[in-house]
Amino acid sequence: MAGVRGGRQCGAAAVEYLGMVVAVVVLVGGLLVAVPSLGGDIVCKVEQAVAALSGGSASCTSHEPSAGARPGEAGGLSVAPGGAPGPGTSRVDYEVAAPAGQRWTVESDSTWAVPTAPGGAGPGTASVVVHANPGQTRTATLTFTGADGAIVTQQIVQGGASAQTVVLGDSFSAGNGSLKKHPDDKDTDGCHRSSMSWARQLESGMPTAAGTPDVRLLAFAACSGSTVDGTNLNDRKTSPSLLDQVNANRDALAGVDQVAFSIGGNDIGFASIVQDCIVPVRTVKNCHNAVTKGRARINGADGQPSPLGERLEEAFAAVVAAAPAATVYVAGYPPMVELDDTSGGAFLGLGEIKAQNRQEVVDMIAELNNQIAASADKVNASTPGGGRLVFVDPTKPGSPFHGHSLTDDVPYYNGLSVRLWPPGPNPWAYHPNDAGNSAYAQWVGWHMMGGR
């Protein structure tokens, strides 16, 4: 009987012991779920305690997190978080601590947060230029990599306030093509601004493939016929001036988050070139001669530099200087003519773009956009603190303009429209119509939301 009682007592002790172990495991499990950072040390101690209760011993290596597991530090490389950027363009600096001579690099997973240098050696500062629309809160991740492969990540959070915006430029920014049905009630200076312009559509909340930018227009000063300085390279006639627009809106530009505009088409006489290629009485030769002259104004001729490039650089530098905290979006010109148009070239039954002229017109539009982009790159390269000009190319793959040329079955441009006095095309002729202005809003807005 004593043996039985002893066995029962031993069994009870075992059950009690097992209960203690289960209780400890449950307690530890709860702590690990609630506070994961306690994990390694507690696991080691529990292993030792359980071994002692059973009369044995346990030797384990501490699971305390290594330096590489702590946020902002890995393998001797540590990074002090920088401040969150404000709206528009700003700079964020990160203090990098690395062993002397150890090389490190930094990369961003977002096009709107751009490191100004790929990295360095030893301790230093990593500067990141942020070009971001404040329309919604977004996060970019920076990855710092040390020479031994250790990785540290840091985040940039871009806030969600409205983007204070100024829109300047020529008729493609004013929205001439939607003027007839949708005049802008603030167009009191004869600039032909439309309430359906892409600027107004962005202000109204035009959705894009990257989200809906939150745009607040502080000034909408785009004006039909505008050139850089008030004259053009075609016949030197006077016209509205982008530089005058900048001067007239300096107070708004001084603290603005974003500026957007189109410029350059009138400088080369784009409207007259289009007329020479489309108006019914024009010939293949008329179009060819007009395009040839236009391309010379874009690219230069007889070994001379581009006369348009110099003007564009002056315009871009003036805007960047007047808006020192802004991201500046420069809108190019859309693919009004496309080689794969299947409509046969008929233009409202009144004329056609001759097959012989199509390639050279397509090339001219491409060269105009290339010159705008190259001029923006030059000004970016010479701007302290990194470039703030973003070129928006409507001819780029993915642009909503493709498949809707002047002669397409569903064009995004107005056709020929003439007035008796003063004789000539109406202001909305050959300009993006309502659908074209919506396409502009979607494409410019997509870039504002970080699309590139």
Side-chain angles (χ1 to χ4, degrees):
M1 294 294 290
V4 172
R5 284 197 299 268
R8 287 175 179 171
Q9 288 173 347
C10 184
V15 170
E16 183 179 354
Y17 164 71
L18 181 59
M20 290 173 59
V21 172
V22 170
V24 169
V25 170
V26 170
L27 174 61
V28 170
L31 285 171
L32 292 178
V33 171
V35 190
S37 61
L38 297 177
D41 238 9
I42 290 178
V43 169
C44 179
K45 302 301 183 187
V46 169
E47 288 175 3
Q48 292 173 334
V50 171
L53 285 172
S54 63
S57 64
S59 175
C60 61
T61 303
S62 172
H63 296 279
E64 179 181 0
S66 66
R70 289 196 290 268
E73 188 172 337
L77 174 69
S78 66
V79 181
T89 298
S90 58
R91 177 188 291 270
V92 183
D93 293 328
Y94 292 85
E95 294 299 323
V96 181
Q102 176 178 301
R103 295 205 61 80
W104 53 270
T105 60
V106 57
E107 295 181 346
S108 171
D109 69 347
S110 172
T111 56
W112 57 264
V114 184
T116 58
T125 300
S127 295
V128 180
V129 175
V130 176
H131 309 286
N133 177 283
Q136 65 181 35
T137 299
R138 294 179 299 169
T139 301
T141 299
L142 302 176
T143 301
F144 295 83
T145 305
D148 58 357
I151 291 176
V152 176
T153 60
Q154 292 290 343
Q155 290 186 331
I156 295 177
V157 178
Q158 177 257 320
S162 295
Q164 299 185 82
T165 306
V166 170
V167 173
L168 310 171
D170 56 21
S171 57
F172 275 63
S173 294
N176 270 34
S178 295
L179 175 68
K180 184 177 182 181
K181 295 180 180 178
H182 309 283
D184 193 304
D185 60 4
K186 295 181 176 62
D187 183 18
T188 58
D189 52 9
C191 284
H192 304 319
R193 288 185 287 268
S194 168
S195 61
M196 275 292 289
S197 63
W198 54 261
R200 291 295 186 200
Q201 292 194 52
L202 282 172
E203 185 180 40
S204 298
M206 167 61 70
T208 77
T212 302
D214 186 357
V215 173
R216 179 189 170 204
L217 282 182
L218 293 188
F220 179 27
C223 194
S224 179
S226 289
T227 61
V228 169
D229 62 3
T231 61
N232 63 54
L233 296 167
N234 181 26
D235 52 21
R236 300 292 176 177
K237 289 183 178 179
T238 58
S239 61
S241 163
L242 177 71
L243 297 178
D244 286 345
Q245 294 174 26
V246 172
N247 288 328
N249 291 279
R250 285 196 176 276
D251 289 345
L253 289 166
V256 78
D257 301 320
Q258 301 181 145
V259 183
F261 62 89
S262 55
I263 200 71
N266 291 319
D267 292 75
I268 67 163
F270 187 76
S272 63
I273 295 171
V274 171
Q275 290 178 48
D276 280 334
C277 289
I278 292 179
V279 172
V281 297
R282 303 304 190 187
T283 65
V284 169
K285 185 176 180 180
N286 290 138
C287 181
H288 172 77
N289 290 341
V291 170
T292 300
K293 292 176 182 177
R295 294 173 76 175
R297 296 172 199 134
I298 296 169
N299 304 312
D302 300 325
Q304 297 300 309
S306 164
L308 177 63
E310 182 178 352
R311 296 161 73 92
L312 292 173
E313 290 168 41
E314 179 185 12
F316 299 162
V319 174
V320 167
T327 303
V328 181
Y329 299 95
V330 183
Y333 295 90
M336 299 176 69
V337 178
E338 294 189 284
L339 296 178
D340 58 356
D341 177 15
T342 58
S343 68
F347 188 64
L348 298 184
L350 298 175
E352 59 184 19
I353 301 175
K354 306 293 186 183
Q356 301 94 311
N357 295 133
R358 283 197 193 178
Q359 183 67 65
E360 56 187 354
V361 174
V362 169
D363 290 344
M364 182 191 70
I365 294 173
E367 289 164 6
L368 174 58
N369 284 327
N370 288 341
Q371 187 58 250
I372 295 170
S375 298
D377 287 343
K378 278 191 176 182
V379 175
N380 276 338
S382 62
T383 300
R388 293 187 283 117
L389 289 156
V390 177
F391 177 55
V392 179
D393 185 357
T395 67
K396 186 177 178 180
S399 163
F401 281 98
H402 288 301
H404 300 282
S405 69
L406 267 168
T407 59
D408 192 78
D409 294 332
V410 184
Y412 276 6
Y413 312 88
N414 291 308
L416 178 65
S417 176
V418 297
R419 60 191 177 197
L420 296 178
W421 193 261
N426 277 309
W428 48 86
Y430 312 129
H431 285 80
N433 54 23
D434 290 359
N437 276 303
S438 293
Y440 250 128
Q442 293 168 33
W443 199 234
V444 174
W446 180 74
H447 284 72
M448 288 179 171
M449 296 302 293
R452 295 291 187 273

